[in-house]
Structure formats: C-alpha cells, structure tokens
C-alpha cells in the first residue's frame, strides 16, 4: 500500500511571514496549512518493497500517472505497467485495460524480477513520465511518453513544424546505477479484450543495421520485432538497444542483448500470444521499446537514399538535420525516394530527438501561463493534465481519458467518460482561459459552433458528442471484463447522451462569453447562432430536466439547471450590450431572466431549513450543486439565503449536511432517488466548489478565510504522487472514479485562482 506524504520546507518561517503579510486572525491552529511564498509543495511517496509475482493484483486507481499526445492517453502504474490505452484515439477500443481486468485486460509492463521499491514523477513542467525502480543492487529508470512535435510561434499564431505526429508509445529503460534484471511483457488485448490476434516475430526493416545486414548477405543477423495482428488493428513492437554516451563507463560496456520471446497467457483469458523479454541491465545500458500501429503504405517503391549510398560508395555525404540525424532516417522527402514521413528509420538519434522535442513541447506550452498566485505547482500540473484531455484535430475536450472506473469499489456506478460533454468542456476552457491559454478556447469554440450549425431539429444540442462531433454514443456493457476490483458492469458508450440536461446552455454561454472576452471575438454569423440558442433557452426555461448529476429516473425542476438557464440568458444579454450586437428579442430575454430569478428564489427555497433545495419538487434534499450560485454571479455570496445554504452543506451527513472530513458529497443517495442505486464517495468537484464558495463569502466575512484555506490544503493531500485528481474520494481516502478527471482539475484551478486573489486583497 502506497502512502502519500507532503513535505513542507521552512514551515515555521514561511507561516509567520504569510501570517504577517495577510493579517489573517486566529491562525495558530491553521499554521501548518498555510502556503507561504517560499513554500514548495512536493508530491512524494513512501513505498513498501514490491515483490514481483505472476499473479499480480489490482493497483489502486491513484497509483498511476498519465501520458498523452492530444489524440489518446495512457495510464502508467507505479510498477511500470501500461494499464489503460486506447488506439488510435481516446474513444477507440482499448488494447490495454488491465485496470479493468487484471487477468485478461491486456498490459505492457516493464519491471524488475527481484524485490524493489518504486517512485514516479513527471519531468519538470512536462507530461513525460519517469518511473524509477530501486534496490540495494541497482537503479533503473523507465521514461514513458507519446511523442509530440514542437510548435513554432509566428506572428499569426502557432504553427506545427514539418515533422508529423508519430502515433507511438515510447518506453526508454536505462540503468542508472549498479545492475538489475528486468522483464518486459507486451500482451495486448484488442477491442476491449474481445478480439483474437496473431502474434509473430519478424525481421525489423525499420532498423538501419538490419538493412545493412540484408545488403551484406543472407547470413548476416537482422534485428527482430514483434507483430500483433487482429481483424481490425495491427501493432508492432520494436526496440533500440544502446549505451548512454554520458555514462562514465561507456567505453567499457556494450549495448544490452534483447531477445523477444512468445508469452502465452491463454490460461488467464488472453486471445492471442504476447511477447516478453528478460534483460539484465548494467549501469549505462539502455533499451527503448516502441509500440505503434505500423503504417499501411510505405514509400519503398525504389531504393532509399540510405540504400543507394550503401550500394554506391561514391555517393556524396547525405545531409543531416539539426540533431545530427540523417534526413532520410527521419523520413525527409527532400531526397526524393526515402521512407514515408510516418515511418522513419528507427535510430537512437531519432529517439533522442523525439524525447527532446516532446519535453520541450510541454515545457513551452505551460510556460505561456499567466498565473501569479499561490499553489502554482498544483495549478500548473492541473493545467498540464487538462491539456492531455484535448483532442487536437477537432478541439473537443474529453471528460476523462478512462472508462468505467468505479465511483464505489464493488458498486455499479461505472461510466465511460471518453466523450466531450458540453458542460465539462466549457468549464475546462474557463480554467485554461484564466491561466492565459486562449488557443484551446478558440479551438473548442470552433468545435461547438460547428455543432450549433447542425443542431437537433427542435433547436437543442446534445449534452455530449463524440470527439469527432458525432451523436452516437450507444451504451454497452462488457460482461466478460471483471471490472476494477470486481466493480461491474464495465460500460462503454454513455446512455446519458440522449438526456435532457438544460444546464448545459448556461455553461456553454458562459464559455462563449469568456471566450470572446479573452480570445477570438464573435463574428456576426456566430452571433446569430448564439442568439438562436438564447431564444431556445427562453422558450424552454420552464421545462424539467435530468440536470448535472444525470439522474436516470424522472425529470424534475432542478435548482442547478434553473440557475444555469438564468446564466445562459444573462450572458446573452451581456454579449449584446458589451459588443453592441443586434438583439431583436432583448425585452423578451430580460423578462425571462428576471422571472426565472424570482421563480428560483420562491420555489427552490426551503424557508424552514433556510437553504436552497435540490429541486422545486423536493426542497428537503440538500445538493452541493447549488454552491455554483455565487460562482456564476447569480447571487451575492454574502446573501443570507446563500450563507444559510453553505452552512447546511458544511454540516456532517448525520446532522443533515454533506461534509465529512472536509470533503463534500454531491447529495445523500439514501434520501434522493436517482435511478442508479449503489453508494459513492465524496465528490472532488463539490469539495472545490465549497472552497470557492467559502472564499467568496470570506470577502465580507474574513473569519471564513482560514476555513477556505484549510479545506483547500486538506484536499491537496488527496492528490496522488504526481499531483493528479480522480473524480471521487472514499471515506477512507481512496481515489475513486475515472482518472484523470477533468472537472476536478478545472475546479482546483478556479479555487486556487480565487482563493489566492482573495488572500492578496486582504494583504
């Protein structure tokens, strides 16, 4: 079991200076919580010794890092296993899903065969992940990434360099000290472990050394690769063995020998052979494994420049790129008849340049941030996590790159979040805009305006779309998969796609309003689409719906949805006024907005309990979604009606509230029927909304500011070892739900932004 600890340096000095700067009263019992300017939060973990064994159990959801390339993403566990990976896109069928079925889900693992301890971290300001294995005899590092080409900035905006995005999963294994025996296993399970596949070990013609062997004669050895072929997808596994030239012993060591062997896991339910390799690495030795979908068409009609040069020694020296790599080896077409751009020769120089370019891509992207507040490390890690959720070809944003991870261990609330919810996406873009990342907002708005051009016949939008803009998200249960720790059913697709959730129009209009304020201004044609959208909201603001929590029993007049419908109309009016845009139905909008406000105040208010209820039909049910009210400027945070609601939510569940150990539930599932059943943990989103609500109230009631700081700092303790969030947290502190969950990182950024700004104002 991994334990997460947070180390705070210079605690006493930092707290005193922080206390003096902000003059917050009565802080003695909060001192260990307060973030000073000289603080730096470190996510570290203390590992018990891991004893490798064939029958590996499930790894906790929190014990994973995430890598991605803005097409898809992969979860990497603390013991070096790719646990979740869909190819080629976020919503494609999985090839590795060990996190959902430890036996037959499929995995790609690299780990020592002797007892070891493990640590995992991201490279600074990057989404390149590093896992280290250590024992008394040696240290081995595994660096995992999905390559990204660098982006060049021009006066007209970002432009990608000419090199293509290679859809590869790269795993670089290097011995740092001593010696360790390593075992690599690559056991894909195609199509959610439903499809069979054929595995073969063949010559690798993408290795220049193998090419030389062919030209030298039939007896020369050629390097091998593994080929996995299913009915709908093929993968190949290649490798490069080398010596790290920076090692002090590089003159005395040789590249490691790698032998690929078949791996039969049919007894565990696998429908095709895997591949394994056992390697003993010594200091300075490296081997990099590359898993990819091999290109279907290759430009090999004639000899490449490299082949021609080998056959003709009199040929001149071939040009090299800035990394010193032969241009033909990285797929340059400038010499006419080289390999295709998406199938370059695999060399150690190419792999080195890919790692450098990928790391620089992430560093240069996050360096554009404009955030100046406290908790910067957690905020920027959240920004990097959110960036991983963007599908670059369309601008769509997935709610999470994973599917069917349980909201309660052994429970049934297991959903597929690999789609683009209008609600989640809008909040995501709000957070990125706050940090200065406007390109992503412009791309998403282009995606959503395309959906507005193809609305449903009644003028409505779906609550979610596929990352390609499609509407078909049929929900299917995969009965053959065990589910994480036995949490069934495993679902793909999402039946909520056809739900009526009217709140989405409020989130979308708020996103459009902020987008045109900080990003690209609205064109007249887009304004007409927005105008039609507000007209639709006005016509339907009296309708019931299924709201943000996507209940599956009956539609009601949910307070959250009514507030967000008010937001939709309000932002439409603001847009028209601030941009002086034509608004023929302005008076109708004004009347509808004001009537809706009065209706909420009358019908959602519980005068006896002095709080806003979950819905008009049942104001006795407390729902933390109403914490959104002051955050969207529906009500002043100091209004007694809101402070009464906040105080009610802050009570413990046994006293009619929703807060336990400074963590907040959505609602009491035993008192509010939602048509789903089962239990769930506290909701990270709701906890962070509560932090921000406390912050807003603290503007006029300063004694609540320490409470907001404490709740936020307590929540940060539940981030995992690399600073990532899940959807929910159990009463025992276990991470639950899909990971990485975008909504949680969005609200973390928003809470930190507003809390830091409020603290500065009280300076």
């Amino acid at each position: 079991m991994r334990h997460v600890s947070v180390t705070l340096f210079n605690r006493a000095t930092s707290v005193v200076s922080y206390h003096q700067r902000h003059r917050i009263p009565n802080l003695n019992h909060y001192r260990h919580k307060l973030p000073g300017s000289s603080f730096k939060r470190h996510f570290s973990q203390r590992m018990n010794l891991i004893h490798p064994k064939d029958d590996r159990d499930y790894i906790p959801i929190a014990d994973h890092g995430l890598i991605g390339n803005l097409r898809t993403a992969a979860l990497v566990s603390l013991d070096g296993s790719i646990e979740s990976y869909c190819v080629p896109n976020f919503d494609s069928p999985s090839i590795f899903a060990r996190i959902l079925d430890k036996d037959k889900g499929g995995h790609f693992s690299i780990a020592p065969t002797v007892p070891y301890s493990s640590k995992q971290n991201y490279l600074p300001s990057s989404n390149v992940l590093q896992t280290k294995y250590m024992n008394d005899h040696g240290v081995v590092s595994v660096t995992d990434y999905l390559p990204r080409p660098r982006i060049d900035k021009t006066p007209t905006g970002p432009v990608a360099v000419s090199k293509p995005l290679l859809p590869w999963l790269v795993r670089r294994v290097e011995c740092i000290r001593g010696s360790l025996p390593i075992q690599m296993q690559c056991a894909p399970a195609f199509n959610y472990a439903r499809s069979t596949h054929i595995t073969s070990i063949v010559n690798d013609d993408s290795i220049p050394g193998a090419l030389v062997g062919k030209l030298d004669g039939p007896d020369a050895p050629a390097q091998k690769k593994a080929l996995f072929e299913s009915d709908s997808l093929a993968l190949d596994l290649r490798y490069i063995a080398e010596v790290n030239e920076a090692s002090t012993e590089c003159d005395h060591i040789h590249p490691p020998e790698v032998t690929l062997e078949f791996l039969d896991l049919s007894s565990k339910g696998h429908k095709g052979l895997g591949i394994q390799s056992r390697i003993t690495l010594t200091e300075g030795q490296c081997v990099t494994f590359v898993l990819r979908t091999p290109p279907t068409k290759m430009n090999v009609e004639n000899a490449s420049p490299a082949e021609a040069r080998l056959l003709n020694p009199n040929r001149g020296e071939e040009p090299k790129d800035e990394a010193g790599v032969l241009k033909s080896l990285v797929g340059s077409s400038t010499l006419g008849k080289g390999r295709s751009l998406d199938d370059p020769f695999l060399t150690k120089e190419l792999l080195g340049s890919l790692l450098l370019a990928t790391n620089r891509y992430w560093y240069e992207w996050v360096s554009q941030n404009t955030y100046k507040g406290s908790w910067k490390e957690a905020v920027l890690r959240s920004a990097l996590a959110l960036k991983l959720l963007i599908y670059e070809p369309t601008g769509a944003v997935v709610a999470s790159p994973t599917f069917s991870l349980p909201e309660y261990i052994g429970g049934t609330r297991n959903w597929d979040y690999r789609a683009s919810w209008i609600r989640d996406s809008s909040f995501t873009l709000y957070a990125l805009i706050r940090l200065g990342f406007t390109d992503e907002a412009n791309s998403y708005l282009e995606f959503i305006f395309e959906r507005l051009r193809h609305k449903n016949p009644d003028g409505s939008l779906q609550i979610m779309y596929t990352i390609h803009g499609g509407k078909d998200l049929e929900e299917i249960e995969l009965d053959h998969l065990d589910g994480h720790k036995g949490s069934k059913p495993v679902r793909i697709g999402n039946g909520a796609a056809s739900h009526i959730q009217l709140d989405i129009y409020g989130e979308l209009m708020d996103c459009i309003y902020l987008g045109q304020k900080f990003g690209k201004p609205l064109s007249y044609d887009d304004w007409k689409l927005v105008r039609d959208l507000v007209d639709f909201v006005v016509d339907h603001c009296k309708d019931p719906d299924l709201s943000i929590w996507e209940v599956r029993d009956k539609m009601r007049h949910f307070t959250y949805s009514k507030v967000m419908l008010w937001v939709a109309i309000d932002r439409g009016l603001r847009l028209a006024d601030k941009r002086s845009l034509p608004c023929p139905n302005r008076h109708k909008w004004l009347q509808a907005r004001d009537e809706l406000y009065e209706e909420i105040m009358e019908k959602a208010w519980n005068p006896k309990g002095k709080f806003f209820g979950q819905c008009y039909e049942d104001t006795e049910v407390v729902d933390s979604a109403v914490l959104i009210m002051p955050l969207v400027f529906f009500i002043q945070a100091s209004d007694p009606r809101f402070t009464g609601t906040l105080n009610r939510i802050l009570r413990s569940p046994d006293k009619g509230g929703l807060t336990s150990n400074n963590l907040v539930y959505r609602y009491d599932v035993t008192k509010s029927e939602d048509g789903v059943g089962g239990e769930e943990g506290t909701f990270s989103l709701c906890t962070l909304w509560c932090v921000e609500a406390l912050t807003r109230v603290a503007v006029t009631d300063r004694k609540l500011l320490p409470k907001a700081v404490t709740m936020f700092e307590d929540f940060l303790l539940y981030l995992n070892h690399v600073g990532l969030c899940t959807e929910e947290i159990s009463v025992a502190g276990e991470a639950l739900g899909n990971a990485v969950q975008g909504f949680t990182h969005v609200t973390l950024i928003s809470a930190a932004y507003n809390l830091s700004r409020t603290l500065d104002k009280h300076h």
Side-chain angles (χ1 to χ4, degrees):
M1 179 66 183
R2 180 188 56 80
H3 301 282
V4 178
S5 66
V6 178
T7 304
L8 299 177
F9 295 101
N10 301 324
R11 176 174 293 169
T13 303
S14 298
V15 170
V16 170
S17 62
Y18 191 91
H19 183 200
Q20 291 171 344
R21 286 202 316 274
H22 296 286
R23 296 187 178 88
I24 302 175
N26 300 324
L27 288 184
N28 288 333
H29 57 297
Y30 294 115
R31 287 189 173 182
H32 67 292
K33 303 292 185 181
L34 294 173
S37 59
S38 62
F39 273 39
K40 184 174 181 182
R41 172 171 289 276
H42 291 265
F43 301 99
S44 62
Q45 35 83 30
R46 297 188 299 271
M47 285 287 297
N48 292 327
L49 209 60
I50 297 174
H51 295 270
K53 56 183 180 179
D54 293 333
D55 189 20
R56 174 185 178 275
D57 206 348
Y58 288 101
I59 299 296
I61 295 173
D63 287 358
H64 295 83
L66 185 72
I67 57 175
N69 62 356
L70 310 189
R71 302 294 190 279
T72 187
L75 282 181
V76 186
S77 68
L78 264 170
D79 65 347
S81 174
I82 305 294
E83 298 281 279
S84 176
Y85 185 42
C86 299
V87 175
N89 300 318
F90 289 111
D91 58 355
S92 301
S94 65
I95 58 170
F96 303 130
R98 193 184 208 175
I99 199 168
L100 293 173
D101 194 307
K102 63 183 178 65
D103 292 326
K104 58 181 176 290
H107 65 276
F108 183 2
S109 61
I110 299 174
T113 57
V114 295
Y116 64 94
S117 63
S118 170
K119 290 185 181 293
Q120 195 175 66
N121 64 281
Y122 283 109
L123 299 188
S125 301
S126 177
N127 278 321
V128 174
L129 189 69
Q130 184 179 66
T131 307
K132 281 189 176 181
Y133 309 124
M134 297 160 287
N135 67 15
D136 291 339
H137 304 288
V139 176
V140 166
S141 169
V142 179
T143 303
D144 290 311
Y145 63 99
L146 300 177
R148 281 289 310 177
R150 285 186 60 196
I151 299 295
D152 287 340
K153 283 287 186 178
T154 69
T156 57
V159 177
V161 295
S162 59
K163 295 177 183 177
L165 185 149
L166 297 173
W168 299 358
L169 170 60
V170 183
R171 313 199 70 190
R172 174 183 170 84
V173 190
E174 179 179 0
C175 186
I176 307 299
R177 173 183 64 79
S179 177
L180 274 182
I182 298 293
Q183 178 172 264
M184 181 279 297
Q185 289 188 348
C186 184
F190 290 88
N191 189 22
Y192 304 110
R194 294 183 295 187
S195 296
T196 59
H197 68 269
I198 297 173
T199 304
S200 54
I201 298 175
V202 299
N203 289 342
D204 187 357
D205 64 359
S206 69
I207 304 294
L211 176 62
V212 173
K214 290 180 183 178
L215 297 174
D216 284 347
D219 296 331
Q223 185 163 305
K224 302 294 184 179
K225 71 174 182 178
L227 183 63
F228 308 94
E229 297 174 287
S230 73
D231 54 357
S232 58
L233 184 68
L235 300 169
D236 68 10
L237 177 67
R238 303 175 294 162
Y239 67 90
I240 288 288
E242 59 177 299
V243 173
N244 186 348
E245 295 178 357
S247 172
T248 57
E249 303 293 329
C250 66
D251 294 335
H252 308 289
I253 56 178
H254 301 283
E257 293 186 8
V258 180
T259 302
L260 302 180
E261 304 171 342
F262 291 111
L263 174 65
D264 186 358
L265 296 175
S266 57
S267 62
K268 294 189 174 184
H270 280 247
K271 296 189 175 184
L273 293 175
I275 290 291
Q276 69 176 353
S277 181
R278 295 181 176 89
I279 314 162
T280 297
L281 294 178
T282 59
E283 183 175 339
Q285 289 186 324
C286 310
V287 58
T288 302
F289 295 98
V290 178
L291 184 70
R292 64 165 185 172
T293 302
T296 54
K297 293 183 180 180
M298 299 171 62
N299 184 16
V300 291
E301 296 176 354
N302 299 297
S304 71
E307 292 173 313
R309 186 161 51 82
L310 287 166
L311 292 170
N312 181 7
N314 296 322
R315 184 181 177 91
E317 180 68 16
E318 190 175 346
K320 298 181 180 181
D321 68 6
E322 66 274 10
V325 186
L326 292 175
K327 286 192 174 181
S328 65
L329 299 189
V330 297
S332 172
S333 60
T334 60
L335 299 178
K337 299 183 176 63
R339 294 174 71 92
S340 59
L341 287 171
D342 60 350
D343 187 30
F345 281 114
L346 188 64
T347 66
K348 67 178 183 179
E349 293 85 2
L350 172 62
L351 291 172
S353 64
L354 286 177
L355 176 56
L356 177 64
T358 301
N359 207 36
R360 289 196 65 175
Y361 170 83
W362 293 115
Y363 174 79
E364 290 171 357
W365 179 81
V366 80
S367 295
Q368 301 171 60
N369 83 88
T370 58
Y371 185 73
K372 305 298 182 185
S374 301
W375 304 287
K376 190 169 185 176
E377 186 173 347
V379 167
L380 295 188
R381 176 49 56 195
S382 289
L384 283 162
L386 291 178
K387 180 68 171 176
L388 285 174
L389 307 186
I390 294 174
Y391 182 65
E392 188 178 49
T394 64
V397 183
V398 296
S400 174
T402 58
F403 63 98
S404 217
L405 293 177
E407 296 179 9
Y408 188 84
I409 299 300
T412 60
R413 296 172 181 256
N414 318 314
W415 314 109
D416 187 349
Y417 281 2
R418 299 170 300 157
S420 185
W421 268 255
I422 288 179
R423 176 190 306 112
D424 299 51
S425 301
S426 298
F427 277 116
T428 298
L429 271 301
Y430 162 80
L432 292 177
I433 287 171
R434 282 297 188 196
L435 300 181
F437 302 109
T438 55
D439 291 338
E440 290 73 18
N442 293 335
S443 297
Y444 175 70
L445 288 176
E446 289 177 10
F447 172 81
I448 205 62
F449 276 116
E450 188 61 28
R451 311 286 79 75
L452 286 172
R453 294 182 189 102
H454 300 89
K455 298 189 293 287
N456 295 328
D458 64 352
S460 66
L461 293 171
Q462 278 198 182
I463 68 165
M464 71 181 85
Y465 294 88
T466 70
I467 56 176
H468 311 284
K471 298 181 179 181
D472 184 14
L473 291 102
E474 179 187 5
E475 185 171 295
I476 299 171
E477 295 185 0
L478 303 179
D479 296 331
H480 65 288
L481 293 178
D482 183 51
H484 182 74
K485 296 185 178 180
S487 304
K488 291 188 175 184
V490 173
R491 296 182 177 94
I492 57 174
N494 201 301
S498 59
H499 280 192
I500 296 175
Q501 297 176 19
L502 297 175
D503 66 283
I504 64 167
Y505 299 103
E507 289 107 359
L508 178 58
M509 283 299 300
D510 203 29
C511 181
I512 291 172
Y513 175 75
L514 288 170
Q516 70 83 38
K517 184 177 180 181
F518 296 102
K520 182 179 178 181
L522 283 176
S523 67
Y524 173 69
D525 289 330
D526 286 344
W527 166 245
K528 289 198 297 182
L529 293 172
V530 170
R531 210 165 58 188
D532 291 342
L533 191 67
V534 179
D535 284 335
F536 175 85
V537 169
V538 169
D539 291 340
H540 293 272
C541 64
K542 304 290 186 182
D543 296 351
D545 75 333
L546 298 171
S547 201
I548 181 174
W549 303 137
E550 298 180 348
V551 300
R552 296 199 170 194
D553 55 351
K554 61 183 179 181
M555 293 196 291
R556 281 162 274 186
H557 294 276
F558 285 96
T559 306
Y560 178 85
S561 290
K562 298 301 181 183
V563 170
M564 296 312 294
L565 287 167
W566 178 92
V567 169
I569 305 171
D570 178 74
R571 300 312 188 261
L573 287 165
R574 291 193 193 197
L575 276 172
D577 291 342
K578 292 182 180 295
R579 294 284 310 280
S580 300
L581 294 166
C583 186
N585 294 328
R586 183 188 307 268
H587 294 297
K588 184 179 179 182
W589 291 7
L590 278 167
Q591 181 180 355
R593 184 191 67 175
D594 293 347
E595 287 180 355
L596 187 54
Y597 193 100
E598 297 280 9
E599 178 185 289
I600 294 168
M601 288 299 190
E602 178 185 348
K603 295 185 178 181
W605 179 246
N606 183 323
K608 183 179 179 180
K610 298 190 182 303
F611 63 88
F612 287 105
Q614 183 181 62
C615 59
Y616 293 176
E617 292 83 354
D618 193 351
T619 58
E620 293 295 327
V621 175
V622 184
D623 189 334
S624 59
V626 301
L627 291 169
I628 199 72
M629 286 179 164
L631 280 55
V632 295
F633 307 108
F634 173 82
I635 192 173
Q636 288 295 320
S638 58
D639 190 300
R641 289 196 176 200
F642 181 74
T643 57
T645 302
L646 177 60
N647 289 332
R648 182 60 176 256
I649 290 171
L650 287 171
R651 294 182 188 177
S652 61
D654 59 338
K655 295 180 180 178
L658 297 173
T659 304
S660 176
N661 191 29
N662 268 346
L663 300 172
V664 182
Y665 290 92
R666 295 189 299 175
Y667 51 86
D668 189 336
V669 295
T670 65
K671 296 179 180 178
S672 178
E673 180 59 46
D674 57 16
V676 180
E679 298 182 63
E680 64 180 21
T682 60
F683 239 66
S684 300
L685 161 71
C686 300
T687 301
L688 292 164
W689 270 349
C690 193
V691 170
E692 192 164 352
L694 281 165
T695 303
R696 304 288 179 119
V697 177
V699 171
T700 56
D701 187 359
R702 291 185 60 185
K703 68 177 182 293
L704 290 178
L705 199 52
K707 172 66 174 175
V709 172
T710 299
M711 181 174 269
F712 186 62
E713 281 281 335
D714 279 358
F715 177 80
L716 294 181
L717 295 174
Y718 295 97
L719 302 183
N720 76 351
H721 58 289
V722 288
L724 299 179
C725 303
T726 54
E727 184 180 19
E728 299 185 24
I729 301 167
S730 75
V731 292
E734 183 177 7
L736 298 172
N738 283 305
V740 169
Q741 219 270 349
F743 226 154
T744 306
H745 284 285
V746 165
T747 45
L748 186 154
I749 291 171
S750 183
Y753 179 92
N754 286 289
L755 183 54
S756 183
R757 186 173 61 173
T758 301
L759 288 168
D760 287 341
K761 286 180 179 179
H762 281 286
H763 173 50

